[in-house]
Amino acid sequence: MIKHIFSDMDGTLLQSDCKISENNVQTIKESQIPFTLVSARSPMEMTEVIDKLDLNEPQIGFNGGLIFQKQDQGLKILSEHTLNIDSVKKVIALVDQQFPKVSRSFYDIDTWYVDKFDKGVKYEQEMGGQTPKLVDYVSLLKQPDIKVFKIMLLSFDALEMKQLIEKLESINSGDMSIKQSGEYYLEITSHLAQKSRGIKYIQDLEKLLKKDMAAFGDGFNDLSMLEMVGTPVVMDNALEGVKEYGKYITKNNDEDGVAYGIKMFLQ
């Protein structure tokens, strides 16, 4: 019997328009199984879905960099892991110098920062519905209290994305986790920010066994999550190489694959 469900958001729980379907909402509520979002998104980008699903359980943002509960008075932070600021500066400089067409931006706990409105920023703005804050990166990163949870890089060129990943891995001293979460998205978080760490936190909190847990995912940043649970379910639209990690393959995200998976494989 499944006692807790974990689910990625983009490409999994959400449709291509970044909205959650009423079928998914209804099925998750009717299942009465505790449900945790496990996303690369920031809390502000998760709020709408948390509210629609009436979720009170701990939620996992920034690929495990932040574990939190949404409360009436704000966020209750349960665990956080941020990037080293020197590493953030190094990534921004490398992208500027060697990949000028790649869109780069970053997040603290409640703000999305950009220093220009390029194609990638506009694309993300349309998809996620969030409004970025225009800043000077050099000045911002000098502030002593700045916390960077995630760097987001967007490239619409598959070859460029491959080269970007290879170059970033070559300068990674081991303190960064570099994961492609979608066709156009590359996300960098602390090496301590792993979806599996977020799940382990909740597993220990609720005293769950591996067989008690199920998860839905579609990207490479979901692999550690899928390996943590007894019933990993992979979307039909998953990136190449991800499906082999699933015990089951469900329908794609535009066909309510999470709802279908709950009904067919978890109940």
Side-chain angles (χ1 to χ4, degrees), residues 162-227:
K162 181 176 181 294
Q163 293 170 339
L164 176 62
I165 293 171
E166 291 174 352
K167 191 64 180 179
L168 287 169
E169 290 290 6
S170 74
I171 67 165
N172 187 3
S173 60
D175 66 331
M176 297 186 294
S177 174
I178 302 166
K179 293 287 193 313
Q180 185 175 358
S181 60
E183 185 178 1
Y184 307 134
Y185 289 84
L186 188 65
E187 288 160 325
I188 302 173
T189 55
S190 163
H191 69 293
L192 297 174
Q194 300 287 340
K195 290 190 174 185
S196 57
R197 285 178 179 265
I199 291 175
K200 184 65 166 60
Y201 181 96
I202 294 170
Q203 181 181 15
D204 292 343
L205 186 70
E206 299 182 1
K207 297 179 173 56
L208 299 170
L209 300 175
K210 185 173 183 177
K211 66 181 180 66
D212 297 331
M213 303 183 294
F216 291 85
D218 74 303
F220 290 108
N221 63 332
D222 296 322
L223 298 187
S224 68
M225 171 178 71
L226 295 171
E227 291 178 322

Side-chain angles (χ1 to χ4, degrees), residues 96-107:
D96 283 350
Q97 293 164 13
Q98 300 188 34
F99 299 91
K101 294 182 180 180
V102 170
S103 175
R104 76 280 186 284
S105 57
F106 57 84
Y107 293 78

Side-chain angles (χ1 to χ4, degrees), residues 16-259:
S16 295
D17 61 1
C18 292
K19 301 296 182 182
I20 185 171
S21 71
E22 286 305 314
N23 184 27
N24 273 340
V25 171
Q26 192 69 23
T27 300
I28 290 166
K29 287 184 175 181
E30 289 177 354
S31 76
Q32 296 188 328
I33 302 172
F35 196 92
T36 292
L37 303 173
V38 188
S39 178
R41 288 182 173 225
S42 66
M44 64 181 175
E45 297 169 310
M46 300 169 69
T47 296
E48 181 179 354
V49 175
I50 291 171
D51 290 343
K52 283 191 174 183
L53 294 173
D54 297 325
L55 299 180
N56 297 310
E57 298 83 12
Q59 304 300 312
I60 302 170
F62 295 124
N63 280 336
L66 183 70
I67 305 172
F68 67 96
Q69 282 179 290
K70 184 175 178 290
Q71 301 179 332
D72 291 340
Q73 63 269 34
L75 298 183
K76 179 182 179 181
I77 307 304
L78 303 175
S79 174
E80 66 177 28
H81 297 290
T82 58
L83 281 160
N84 180 292
I85 295 301
D86 287 338
S87 294
V88 176
K89 294 175 181 177
K90 187 163 60 172
V91 169
I92 296 296
L94 183 146
V95 174
D96 283 350
Q97 293 164 13
Q98 300 188 34
F99 299 91
K101 294 182 180 180
V102 170
S103 175
R104 76 280 186 284
S105 57
F106 57 84
Y107 293 78
D108 66 11
I109 197 167
D110 55 15
T111 307
W112 173 27
Y113 295 105
V114 305
D115 68 345
K116 59 184 176 182
F117 285 92
D118 57 20
K119 180 181 177 182
V121 169
K122 292 174 182 176
Y123 178 83
E124 173 63 11
Q125 194 171 11
E126 290 174 3
M127 295 297 290
Q130 301 300 318
T131 301
K133 182 175 182 179
L134 187 65
V135 297
D136 175 68
Y137 284 164
V138 174
S139 298
L140 181 64
L141 292 173
K142 286 181 179 178
Q143 295 182 10
D145 58 345
I146 184 70
K147 290 183 177 181
V148 177
F149 282 89
K150 182 181 75 171
I151 302 171
M152 182 171 67
L153 307 175
L154 273 80
S155 172
F156 301 96
D157 183 315
L159 177 58
E160 182 180 57
M161 176 66 80
K162 181 176 181 294
Q163 293 170 339
L164 176 62
I165 293 171
E166 291 174 352
K167 191 64 180 179
L168 287 169
E169 290 290 6
S170 74
I171 67 165
N172 187 3
S173 60
D175 66 331
M176 297 186 294
S177 174
I178 302 166
K179 293 287 193 313
Q180 185 175 358
S181 60
E183 185 178 1
Y184 307 134
Y185 289 84
L186 188 65
E187 288 160 325
I188 302 173
T189 55
S190 163
H191 69 293
L192 297 174
Q194 300 287 340
K195 290 190 174 185
S196 57
R197 285 178 179 265
I199 291 175
K200 184 65 166 60
Y201 181 96
I202 294 170
Q203 181 181 15
D204 292 343
L205 186 70
E206 299 182 1
K207 297 179 173 56
L208 299 170
L209 300 175
K210 185 173 183 177
K211 66 181 180 66
D212 297 331
M213 303 183 294
F216 291 85
D218 74 303
F220 290 108
N221 63 332
D222 296 322
L223 298 187
S224 68
M225 171 178 71
L226 295 171
E227 291 178 322
M228 282 287 294
V229 303
T231 306
V233 185
V234 176
M235 308 301 291
D236 190 49
N237 54 284
L239 294 173
E240 186 177 351
V242 177
K243 287 185 179 179
E244 62 193 71
Y245 288 84
K247 181 176 181 179
Y248 301 108
I249 306 298
T250 189
K251 292 183 177 181
N252 69 45
N253 62 315
D254 287 321
E255 297 176 318
D256 300 343
V258 171

